[in-house]
Amino acid sequence: MVIDRDYRIIQANNTLLKRHGKRRSEVIGRYCYDISHGMAEICRSPRHECPIRLVWETGKPARTTHAHVYEVEGVQRKRYLDIIASPIKDQQDNVIAVCELMRDVTEAKELEMKIAEAHRNLSAMNTIANVVSQSLDLDTILSSALNKTLEIMKANRGGILLWDEEKQLLRYRVYHGLSAEHVQKVGYRSGEGIIGKVAKTGKALLLEDMSTGSHAAYPNLIAAEGLRGFACTPLKSKGKILGVLYIASHEARKFSSDDMLLLNSIAWQIATAVENAKLHQEVQHKEKIRGELLQDIFSIQEEERRRIARELHDETSQILASLTANLEAASEMLPAGENKPKAMLKKAQTLSIKVLDEMNRLVYELRPTLLDDLGLVAAIKWLLDNHLRLAGITVNLKIAGRQRRLPPRLETTLFRVVQEAFSNITRHASAKNADVTLHFKKSDIKVHVKDDGKGFDVEEAISSKDRPRGLGLLGMKERVELMKGTLSIRSRPSFGTEIDVKIPLNQEEVPNG
Ligand SMILES: Nc1ncnc2c1ncn2[C@@H]1O[C@H](COP(=O)(O)OP(=O)(O)O)[C@@H](O)[C@H]1O
Ligand SMILES: [Mg+2]
């Protein structure tokens, strides 16, 4: 349409007439705000900024978008009009009228809003996913998820309640905007109140104002907390209801179905995170028990070895020693010339000495008294002589740092690890040389064992299932990790093998093992 200085319509095209269902004569001469909006005065911001006034003031075209609210069969709808107002000028460049072009952009606008909404939901989901994947600690996950949810949904109160299997109650795990007394007081049985109902049915519930009606299980407490607009959704994972998430506002509020969809997706993510955190907790708990059991086994094993070693040493070797002495005496008692029986007795005597030697070695392997009496370095020196050097391997031993006694359990661990490493070198490596270093530092002790043997594929050796004997390498690792240390093995076929162990020393004194 074309409009004059008094906002009266001078001209209108057919589309405009059709849109308003009027004849030309009913439109010409009428005020534009009357025809367009049925209003008695000119359009004002914010919804209806008048572009025409601007054109008269500036002499330049102006553009705006009007939102028109109207009703179709009792339902309010909005239409958006893009309006361009341009001046019509005379030859002296004076504005004499304004031409207003209107275009219906409702669909584009609605699409734009849908995209914005989808974007909001996606970025909310993304935020929640980020928040819940930051940690495996249940309380950390839940409180940051709740805070983010409240922020996204623009609500100021809320809570996450989890099902307590033992008490058969839903209890608060995290909350926001509620008093601590409230949180401590309330607990919901399945089906009790709105929260219990959501947990029982697994279906979300919305209330525009929960302070009216008799929905709540604790109406007075709820009123005291000022909970009104309310949206509650179950936390479900793998068909099991773990708890509920709710958000609330201190004034009546109608949460939309879009809000609900978003809340449900958030709840789904939280439930998955809760499930993961619980599994993680369980694994950690089992891991702790496994460590304790393993420690017990190692302690019992050491104790048993110590006992057997003592018995062998104190009793059996005494008997063998006196057997050797008796054989000697018997041989001397034989009359001269009894050469044959003498030779037999001599042979028996040699054998019993050999058995005695062998047994002493066994006693040492089992549990060298050296380790208890003189400590790690002495015991390792003994191992060097009796394993590696005996097998013809040249050994270079280096002790660095301030050599000293360490807690007994730590000495035992290191001794067993080195014992296994040496036994592997003699049994598997075909090495010529070996380097052994013990480094006593202030805060940790390091052991390095290196051979120039044939090497092996570490991955394969450790993961190999069909192993008749060998918990050797794995056992080493387990023992070191129980002491909060690290063990690394570097080896490649035909390149030799290197083992590094590092165990921290500043741990609390540990029981004897
Ligand atoms: N120093 C080494 N040199 C070469 N091969 C080794 C060495 N240490 C271990 N291995 C290889 O790794 C395997 C696993 O070792 P381990 O776990 O101690 O079990 P076991 O000694 O009972 O075979 C050995 O069978 C051997 O093939
Ligand atoms: Mg071995």
Side-chain angles (χ1 to χ4, degrees):
M1 51 194 176
V2 178
I3 296 156
D4 72 8
R5 188 172 273 284
D6 298 325
Y7 296 90
R8 288 181 194 274
I9 300 171
I10 311 170
Q11 270 182 48
N13 74 353
N14 290 336
T15 313
L16 185 118
L17 298 176
K18 212 157 98 199
R19 187 182 172 95
H20 291 291
K22 290 195 158 59
R23 277 178 283 130
R24 194 170 301 273
S25 58
E26 294 173 295
V27 166
I28 302 297
R30 301 270 298 277
Y31 291 116
C32 61
Y33 42 83
D34 176 16
I35 294 296
S36 292
H37 304 291
M39 293 197 306
E41 42 187 272
I42 63 166
C43 299
R44 302 211 181 281
S45 35
R47 219 162 55 188
H48 297 143
E49 174 73 68
C50 177
I52 299 171
R53 205 174 35 199
L54 266 175
V55 178
W56 287 111
E57 278 166 15
T58 63
K60 292 202 175 98
R63 179 183 190 144
T64 185
T65 303
H66 277 190
H68 291 199
V69 181
Y70 62 100
E71 278 193 11
V72 178
E73 289 157 3
V75 182
Q76 272 208 347
R77 313 245 338 232
K78 246 187 196 171
R79 295 211 71 85
Y80 294 90
L81 286 183
D82 227 8
I83 301 173
I84 300 171
S86 322
I88 297 173
K89 295 181 175 174
D90 64 10
Q91 283 177 341
Q92 279 78 46
D93 213 26
N94 299 316
V95 181
I96 51 167
V98 175
C99 172
E100 197 174 76
L101 298 174
M102 288 172 280
R103 196 158 58 93
D104 190 325
V105 292
T106 308
E107 270 162 32
K109 198 82 187 171
E110 278 174 354
L111 195 62
E112 197 181 292
M113 288 194 303
K114 262 196 195 136
I115 291 171
E117 174 72 15
H119 179 77
R120 177 181 88 114
N121 291 354
L122 278 177
S123 78
M125 296 304 291
N126 190 31
T127 313
I128 296 285
N130 268 339
V131 160
V132 299
S133 60
Q134 298 274 294
S135 162
L136 272 169
D137 173 63
L138 194 57
D139 289 316
T140 314
I141 294 173
L142 293 182
S143 62
S144 40
L146 177 65
N147 287 341
K148 270 287 165 224
T149 308
L150 292 174
E151 190 184 315
I152 291 164
M153 308 291 291
K154 298 192 180 64
N156 48 19
R157 276 138 224 234
I160 294 177
L161 296 91
L162 296 185
W163 182 247
D164 184 333
E165 206 52 70
E166 216 170 278
K167 299 204 176 88
Q168 293 286 302
L169 274 182
L170 279 159
R171 302 298 302 255
Y172 273 95
R173 189 72 190 232
V174 295
Y175 58 95
H176 184 89
L178 304 173
S179 70
E181 295 103 272
H182 173 82
V183 166
Q184 256 146 36
K185 256 186 215 159
V186 304
Y188 300 86
R189 286 186 295 277
S190 176
E192 185 186 19
I194 301 165
I195 285 175
K197 211 170 278 164
V198 170
K200 186 174 183 183
T201 59
K203 292 209 174 71
L205 269 176
L206 286 176
L207 287 175
E208 195 170 337
D209 189 349
M210 82 178 320
S211 65
T212 63
S214 56
H215 320 283
Y218 299 91
N220 296 338
L221 288 177
I222 299 266
E225 296 299 320
L227 299 180
R228 298 190 63 192
F230 193 81
C232 182
T233 186
L235 299 175
K236 264 192 281 194
S237 173
K238 298 187 189 123
K240 221 176 109 194
I241 292 170
L242 310 172
V244 305
L245 156 71
Y246 79 80
I247 57 171
S249 53
H250 60 275
E251 61 226 357
R253 169 172 169 183
K254 200 170 180 178
F255 287 100
S256 68
S257 57
D258 280 347
D259 286 338
M260 216 45 227
L261 264 178
L262 183 56
L263 196 64
N264 285 341
S265 325
I266 289 175
W268 179 80
Q269 290 211 21
I270 295 177
T272 311
V274 169
E275 182 78 15
N276 282 347
K278 281 194 165 164
L279 287 177
H280 178 74
Q281 263 175 4
E282 230 166 82
V283 170
Q284 271 195 326
H285 181 64
K286 288 198 172 140
E287 187 63 22
K288 190 168 162 264
I289 290 178
R290 194 187 74 101
E292 285 165 6
L293 282 177
L294 210 55
Q295 184 53 53
D296 285 351
I297 289 171
F298 286 144
S299 302
I300 291 166
Q301 191 187 40
E302 286 304 325
E303 200 37 60
E304 195 60 7
R305 284 179 168 186
R306 206 180 263 136
R307 190 185 63 76
I308 296 171
R310 201 181 301 125
E311 222 152 84
L312 283 178
H313 180 262
D314 293 352
E315 314 214 343
T316 318
S317 70
Q318 292 308 319
I319 296 169
L320 276 174
S322 71
L323 174 67
T324 315
N326 281 334
L327 287 170
E328 171 90 51
S331 164
E332 264 158 30
M333 278 155 92
L334 279 176
E338 294 285 348
N339 287 340
K340 241 183 170 173
K342 245 190 184 153
M344 291 293 283
L345 282 175
K346 185 80 200 156
K347 209 171 165 188
Q349 202 187 341
T350 317
L351 275 177
S352 80
I353 291 171
K354 211 173 155 197
V355 172
L356 187 59
D357 281 351
E358 186 57 33
M359 213 191 61
N360 280 336
R361 204 182 60 80
L362 196 66
V363 165
Y364 253 86
E365 294 284 339
L366 274 169
R367 174 80 204 187
T369 43
L370 216 59
L371 181 58
D372 296 319
D373 299 342
L374 295 177
L376 187 61
V377 175
I380 285 182
K381 278 184 178 154
W382 179 85
L383 274 180
L384 277 176
D385 290 334
N386 286 274
H387 279 263
L388 301 182
R389 292 203 174 108
L390 211 63
I393 296 167
T394 311
V395 189
N396 177 18
L397 172 71
K398 218 164 90 187
I399 311 288
R402 187 172 65 81
Q403 184 185 327
R404 58 197 188 273
R405 293 299 302 262
L406 303 170
R409 209 179 109 191
L410 180 53
E411 288 195 332
T412 303
T413 298
L414 287 170
F415 177 76
R416 293 299 177 205
V417 167
V418 170
Q419 189 178 31
E420 177 60 29
F422 287 181
S423 122
N424 279 349
I425 294 178
T426 46
R427 281 174 50 212
H428 310 297
S430 322
K432 288 202 176 63
N433 300 284
D435 290 333
V436 179
T437 310
L438 261 83
H439 195 166
F440 289 82
K441 298 172 79 174
K442 193 156 179 256
S443 57
D444 55 51
I445 173 149
K446 285 179 173 171
V447 178
H448 176 82
V449 179
K450 183 177 171 212
D451 69 61
D452 63 352
K454 62 182 182 205
F456 66 108
D457 183 334
V458 183
E459 266 318 293
E460 195 192 298
I462 285 186
S463 58
S464 163
K465 292 222 168 56
D466 46 28
R467 313 193 18 70
R469 335 179 74 229
L471 284 177
L473 295 174
L474 277 181
M476 283 159 93
K477 209 168 152 57
E478 294 283 2
R479 282 181 192 272
V480 171
E481 283 171 2
L482 273 178
M483 304 297 294
K484 303 201 165 31
T486 53
L487 174 131
S488 72
I489 305 170
R490 282 184 306 282
S491 186
R492 263 192 302 154
S494 68
F495 273 96
T497 301
E498 242 178 305
I499 294 179
D500 277 293
V501 178
K502 180 175 160 182
I503 298 182
L505 286 176
N506 49 358
Q507 47 199 324
E508 303 123 48
E509 206 34 54
V510 277
N512 200 338

